[in-house]
Amino acid sequence: MSTNTSPKPSLAEDFVKFSVEVGVLRFGEFKTKAGRLSPYFFNAGLFDDGAKLGRLAEFYARRLVDSGLQFDMLFGPAYKGITLAAAVSVELARLGHNKPYAYNRKEAKDHGEGGTLVGAPVRGRVLIIDDVISAGTSVRESIAMIRAAGAEPCGVAIALDRQEKATENGADVEWSAVQYVRDKLGLEVIAIASLSDLMAFLDHAADPALAQFKAPVAAYRARYGV
């Protein structure tokens, strides 16, 4: 089955709107890991109660089902990915797609079951699930763990694709972290929404408090976008 890398417009728009409403997506001036001053900030750690996490899982699951991507299980990189993999596994099962999940510990355990991997046996086609891809480091580490277990990573599901240039050795490069994962690591990347969807949301924002950030976000994309 071929995959659909672009989310349905309504799903992406609904996700951006929801993220703004619950304060996960904020506008202002924020310093990124790359040292850039961004006019917006997406903090998935603020999906911090049952209702918000359940709704987030619903967006991930619907996006994955719509994509047509074939996978056997979910893998959540520590730490944010752990909660995401568990929540999305629950929602996929509710939709009739029961998938096992696993995750890693930051440090190996030398008692009990031992090792760094927890959950279902890692096998088959494994989908990595995380909030964003900032530098690709977490993805590379996940790929290594999955392959060491004898399985094959088949893709990465994220909440938001920032569609901006990555940095290497402190300098901007012409590709984004998502493009690096797709083109260099060979994995499909499925995002619920992107910076393009965020800008479309601001284009239609009736609230002047939100509409004022349309120009700063556009300027940021003009400078750092891919």
Side-chain angles (χ1 to χ4, degrees), residues 118-130:
V118 185
V122 177
R123 57 173 65 125
R125 288 172 57 83
V126 182
L127 176 68
I128 300 163
I129 186 158
D130 215 338

PDB file of all heavy atoms in Angstrom, residues 118-130:
ATOM      1  N   VAL A 118      11.919  -2.200  26.904  1.00  0.00           N
ATOM      2  CA  VAL A 118      10.794  -2.595  27.760  1.00  0.00           C
ATOM      3  C   VAL A 118       9.553  -2.729  26.886  1.00  0.00           C
ATOM      4  O   VAL A 118       9.376  -1.982  25.928  1.00  0.00           O
ATOM      5  CB  VAL A 118      10.535  -1.524  28.852  1.00  0.00           C
ATOM      6  CG1 VAL A 118       9.449  -1.991  29.820  1.00  0.00           C
ATOM      7  CG2 VAL A 118      11.816  -1.191  29.603  1.00  0.00           C
ATOM      8  N   GLY A 119       8.688  -3.669  27.234  1.00  0.00           N
ATOM      9  CA  GLY A 119       7.429  -3.825  26.509  1.00  0.00           C
ATOM     10  C   GLY A 119       7.444  -5.048  25.629  1.00  0.00           C
ATOM     11  O   GLY A 119       8.111  -6.042  25.906  1.00  0.00           O
ATOM     12  N   ALA A 120       6.717  -4.965  24.522  1.00  0.00           N
ATOM     13  CA  ALA A 120       6.605  -6.100  23.608  1.00  0.00           C
ATOM     14  C   ALA A 120       7.946  -6.381  22.931  1.00  0.00           C
ATOM     15  O   ALA A 120       8.777  -5.474  22.766  1.00  0.00           O
ATOM     16  CB  ALA A 120       5.547  -5.794  22.550  1.00  0.00           C
ATOM     17  N   PRO A 121       8.186  -7.634  22.530  1.00  0.00           N
ATOM     18  CA  PRO A 121       9.405  -7.950  21.780  1.00  0.00           C
ATOM     19  C   PRO A 121       9.489  -7.084  20.523  1.00  0.00           C
ATOM     20  O   PRO A 121       8.491  -6.911  19.816  1.00  0.00           O
ATOM     21  CB  PRO A 121       9.233  -9.426  21.421  1.00  0.00           C
ATOM     22  CG  PRO A 121       8.278  -9.963  22.439  1.00  0.00           C
ATOM     23  CD  PRO A 121       7.346  -8.830  22.754  1.00  0.00           C
ATOM     24  N   VAL A 122      10.658  -6.517  20.270  1.00  0.00           N
ATOM     25  CA  VAL A 122      10.835  -5.640  19.111  1.00  0.00           C
ATOM     26  C   VAL A 122      11.100  -6.502  17.889  1.00  0.00           C
ATOM     27  O   VAL A 122      12.157  -7.109  17.752  1.00  0.00           O
ATOM     28  CB  VAL A 122      11.988  -4.641  19.351  1.00  0.00           C
ATOM     29  CG1 VAL A 122      12.223  -3.774  18.119  1.00  0.00           C
ATOM     30  CG2 VAL A 122      11.675  -3.755  20.559  1.00  0.00           C
ATOM     31  N   ARG A 123      10.101  -6.540  16.987  1.00  0.00           N
ATOM     32  CA  ARG A 123      10.223  -7.381  15.799  1.00  0.00           C
ATOM     33  C   ARG A 123       9.370  -6.817  14.664  1.00  0.00           C
ATOM     34  O   ARG A 123       8.459  -6.015  14.889  1.00  0.00           O
ATOM     35  CB  ARG A 123       9.798  -8.819  16.106  1.00  0.00           C
ATOM     36  CG  ARG A 123       8.381  -8.968  16.652  1.00  0.00           C
ATOM     37  CD  ARG A 123       7.984 -10.443  16.765  1.00  0.00           C
ATOM     38  NE  ARG A 123       8.795 -11.138  17.747  1.00  0.00           N
ATOM     39  CZ  ARG A 123       8.309 -11.833  18.783  1.00  0.00           C
ATOM     40  NH1 ARG A 123       6.994 -11.898  18.959  1.00  0.00           N
ATOM     41  NH2 ARG A 123       9.106 -12.440  19.617  1.00  0.00           N
ATOM     42  N   GLY A 124       9.692  -7.241  13.460  1.00  0.00           N
ATOM     43  CA  GLY A 124       8.936  -6.810  12.287  1.00  0.00           C
ATOM     44  C   GLY A 124       9.232  -5.378  11.884  1.00  0.00           C
ATOM     45  O   GLY A 124      10.332  -4.861  12.101  1.00  0.00           O
ATOM     46  N   ARG A 125       8.236  -4.733  11.282  1.00  0.00           N
ATOM     47  CA  ARG A 125       8.353  -3.338  10.853  1.00  0.00           C
ATOM     48  C   ARG A 125       7.947  -2.432  12.015  1.00  0.00           C
ATOM     49  O   ARG A 125       6.807  -2.488  12.480  1.00  0.00           O
ATOM     50  CB  ARG A 125       7.447  -3.079   9.633  1.00  0.00           C
ATOM     51  CG  ARG A 125       7.971  -3.731   8.360  1.00  0.00           C
ATOM     52  CD  ARG A 125       6.955  -3.636   7.219  1.00  0.00           C
ATOM     53  NE  ARG A 125       6.566  -2.249   6.925  1.00  0.00           N
ATOM     54  CZ  ARG A 125       7.260  -1.420   6.162  1.00  0.00           C
ATOM     55  NH1 ARG A 125       8.398  -1.812   5.618  1.00  0.00           N
ATOM     56  NH2 ARG A 125       6.814  -0.194   5.934  1.00  0.00           N
ATOM     57  N   VAL A 126       8.885  -1.618  12.458  1.00  0.00           N
ATOM     58  CA  VAL A 126       8.709  -0.839  13.685  1.00  0.00           C
ATOM     59  C   VAL A 126       8.551   0.649  13.357  1.00  0.00           C
ATOM     60  O   VAL A 126       9.397   1.232  12.664  1.00  0.00           O
ATOM     61  CB  VAL A 126       9.895  -1.041  14.646  1.00  0.00           C
ATOM     62  CG1 VAL A 126       9.674  -0.269  15.951  1.00  0.00           C
ATOM     63  CG2 VAL A 126      10.102  -2.530  14.932  1.00  0.00           C
ATOM     64  N   LEU A 127       7.491   1.238  13.865  1.00  0.00           N
ATOM     65  CA  LEU A 127       7.243   2.672  13.695  1.00  0.00           C
ATOM     66  C   LEU A 127       7.687   3.414  14.941  1.00  0.00           C
ATOM     67  O   LEU A 127       7.213   3.137  16.045  1.00  0.00           O
ATOM     68  CB  LEU A 127       5.754   2.928  13.444  1.00  0.00           C
ATOM     69  CG  LEU A 127       5.346   4.395  13.338  1.00  0.00           C
ATOM     70  CD1 LEU A 127       5.916   5.017  12.071  1.00  0.00           C
ATOM     71  CD2 LEU A 127       3.835   4.544  13.356  1.00  0.00           C
ATOM     72  N   ILE A 128       8.615   4.341  14.772  1.00  0.00           N
ATOM     73  CA  ILE A 128       9.094   5.181  15.876  1.00  0.00           C
ATOM     74  C   ILE A 128       8.099   6.322  16.062  1.00  0.00           C
ATOM     75  O   ILE A 128       7.662   6.933  15.083  1.00  0.00           O
ATOM     76  CB  ILE A 128      10.491   5.742  15.555  1.00  0.00           C
ATOM     77  CG1 ILE A 128      11.493   4.594  15.342  1.00  0.00           C
ATOM     78  CG2 ILE A 128      10.982   6.689  16.663  1.00  0.00           C
ATOM     79  CD1 ILE A 128      12.774   5.023  14.637  1.00  0.00           C
ATOM     80  N   ILE A 129       7.741   6.609  17.307  1.00  0.00           N
ATOM     81  CA  ILE A 129       6.784   7.692  17.551  1.00  0.00           C
ATOM     82  C   ILE A 129       7.383   8.692  18.532  1.00  0.00           C
ATOM     83  O   ILE A 129       7.906   8.326  19.584  1.00  0.00           O
ATOM     84  CB  ILE A 129       5.431   7.132  18.040  1.00  0.00           C
ATOM     85  CG1 ILE A 129       4.389   8.237  18.146  1.00  0.00           C
ATOM     86  CG2 ILE A 129       5.560   6.355  19.325  1.00  0.00           C
ATOM     87  CD1 ILE A 129       2.964   7.713  18.102  1.00  0.00           C
ATOM     88  N   ASP A 130       7.366   9.973  18.145  1.00  0.00           N
ATOM     89  CA  ASP A 130       7.957  11.027  18.969  1.00  0.00           C
ATOM     90  C   ASP A 130       7.164  12.307  18.752  1.00  0.00           C
ATOM     91  O   ASP A 130       6.193  12.331  17.989  1.00  0.00           O
ATOM     92  CB  ASP A 130       9.427  11.211  18.598  1.00  0.00           C
ATOM     93  CG  ASP A 130      10.299  11.569  19.804  1.00  0.00           C
ATOM     94  OD1 ASP A 130       9.759  12.083  20.806  1.00  0.00           O
ATOM     95  OD2 ASP A 130      11.518  11.343  19.744  1.00  0.00           O
TER      96      ASP A 130
END
